[in-house]
Amino acid sequence: MRKNWVTGVLGIAAVAAIGFLGAGCGNDTQTASSSASTEKVVKMGVTQGLHAEIMEEGKKEAAKQGINLEIVEFSDFVTPDVALDNGEIDMNSIQHQPFLDNMVKKKGLKLTSIGKTLVAPMAVYSHKVKSLKELPQGAKIAIPNDPSNGARALLLLDKAGIIKTRAGVEFPAVTDITANPKNFQIIELDAAQLPRSLDDVDLAAINTNYALEAGLNPVKDSLFIEDKNSPFAAVIAVREKDANNPLYKKIVKIYQSAPIKKFMDNKYKGSVIPAF
């Protein structure tokens, strides 16, 4: 009888212990699950240079609100949109609206913008002349080879008074040049390569992010620069299906906040203009 009683007690104790351990494991699992569910990881694609630098500040502000912003850097404009469309990243901050519109149309990407970020004025630079008036007959002028930034460069050259583009064409191509008195040679190159082309051409129209990366100050070093009324404001893009995602909208608001504006003003001294 005593043996049976001991066996029973031990059995009950064992069951209790298993129950206790099971309850402990259950709590740990729930805690881990809860922790995982509250951790918000968002992959943000950026291009090297100013977009990456500003987003690093955005990452700090996002962390204060419990959002883990993982920054993924790219070295060109095209790949980040393809990666976003494929779901490899969740958002990107790399481009102005006309460029995004062209990518959507040209490649059939299902992307849309959900907020403006900045205007990074395009400017023209030279290692060979100190003013546009000094450009010789037949001078080589390099511009970006993608349609939207190429159009932006041609409009800038038009505004500078050294060529004319077809009236009424919002985003002109080289074939839309209607007046070229000095027979300038327009050379189309990858946007990222333009700073390195300055020793080989007479003039180059360079996006601000690549100019800053190459040590060029758009305000001090350029011969002509876009003004603050440029229609080429940069945007944050997402997949169309995520256009109303509250988390992504929250990240846009974080970007468009006073701390980020202050960082931009202090860091870039007017060469980057907040678009919010």
Side-chain angles (χ1 to χ4, degrees), residues 1-275:
M1 180 72 179
R2 179 176 178 80
K3 180 178 180 181
N4 290 340
W5 180 83
V6 171
T7 302
V9 170
L10 291 175
I12 292 170
V15 170
I18 292 171
F20 174 78
L21 290 173
C25 290
N27 288 338
D28 287 345
T29 302
Q30 289 174 356
T31 301
S33 176
S34 175
S35 175
S37 66
T38 58
E39 185 180 9
K40 302 176 179 67
V41 180
V42 179
K43 290 186 177 181
M44 174 70 75
V46 296
T47 42
Q48 297 169 349
L50 73 92
H51 285 297
E53 292 168 352
I54 296 171
M55 200 56 69
E56 285 291 345
E57 292 301 307
K59 179 177 181 177
K60 296 175 186 177
E61 294 300 316
K64 296 176 184 178
Q65 299 188 37
I67 302 170
N68 183 351
L69 198 59
E70 181 180 332
I71 297 175
V72 182
E73 288 195 24
F74 295 87
S75 59
D76 68 282
F77 289 125
V78 176
T79 308
D81 277 342
V82 176
L84 177 57
D85 190 69
N86 290 341
E88 297 171 36
I89 56 177
D90 302 304
M91 312 174 74
N92 71 34
S93 177
I94 66 156
Q95 65 208 318
H96 51 64
Q97 187 66 51
F99 186 91
L100 176 60
D101 292 341
N102 182 71
M103 286 291 289
V104 167
K105 181 179 179 181
K106 183 179 178 181
K107 293 186 175 292
L109 306 181
K110 297 185 182 300
L111 306 179
T112 188
S113 61
I114 60 171
K116 294 182 179 180
T117 56
L118 56 87
V119 174
M122 179 178 279
V124 292
Y125 304 82
S126 178
H127 283 174
K128 298 183 179 180
V129 298
K130 294 183 179 180
S131 74
L132 296 180
K133 293 180 180 180
E134 295 178 17
L135 286 169
Q137 191 80 13
K140 295 179 180 179
I141 301 178
I143 67 171
N145 63 2
D146 63 89
S148 59
N149 280 307
R152 185 180 187 180
L154 292 174
L155 290 171
L156 183 62
L157 296 175
D158 187 326
K159 192 168 185 177
I162 63 175
I163 64 167
K164 288 292 181 185
T165 57
R166 197 177 309 280
V169 177
E170 187 177 10
F171 301 114
V174 173
T175 52
D176 293 309
I177 296 175
T178 58
N180 185 1
K182 287 191 173 182
N183 294 314
F184 295 133
Q185 301 177 53
I186 307 299
I187 301 170
E188 298 176 279
L189 300 174
D190 182 80
Q193 305 301 318
L194 288 167
R196 291 193 286 273
S197 76
L198 285 171
D199 289 331
D200 302 313
V201 300
D202 298 284
L203 193 74
I206 305 175
N207 294 82
T208 290
N209 59 315
Y210 293 125
L212 292 174
E213 193 175 340
L216 296 169
N217 185 311
V219 176
K220 297 179 180 179
D221 299 327
S222 67
L223 302 185
F224 194 78
I225 188 171
E226 283 178 332
D227 59 33
K228 63 181 180 180
N229 297 316
S230 168
F232 294 90
V235 296
I236 290 178
V238 298
R239 290 179 289 279
E240 288 180 352
K241 65 179 182 179
D242 294 324
N244 295 313
N245 184 306
L247 175 57
Y248 298 169
K249 286 186 173 182
K250 188 174 183 179
I251 291 171
V252 171
K253 287 184 178 180
I254 290 170
Y255 192 108
Q256 296 175 340
S257 65
I260 302 303
K261 183 179 184 300
K262 183 178 179 181
F263 171 81
M264 291 166 67
D265 291 341
N266 292 339
K267 174 76 175 180
Y268 302 110
K269 310 294 184 185
S271 60
V272 173
I273 306 166

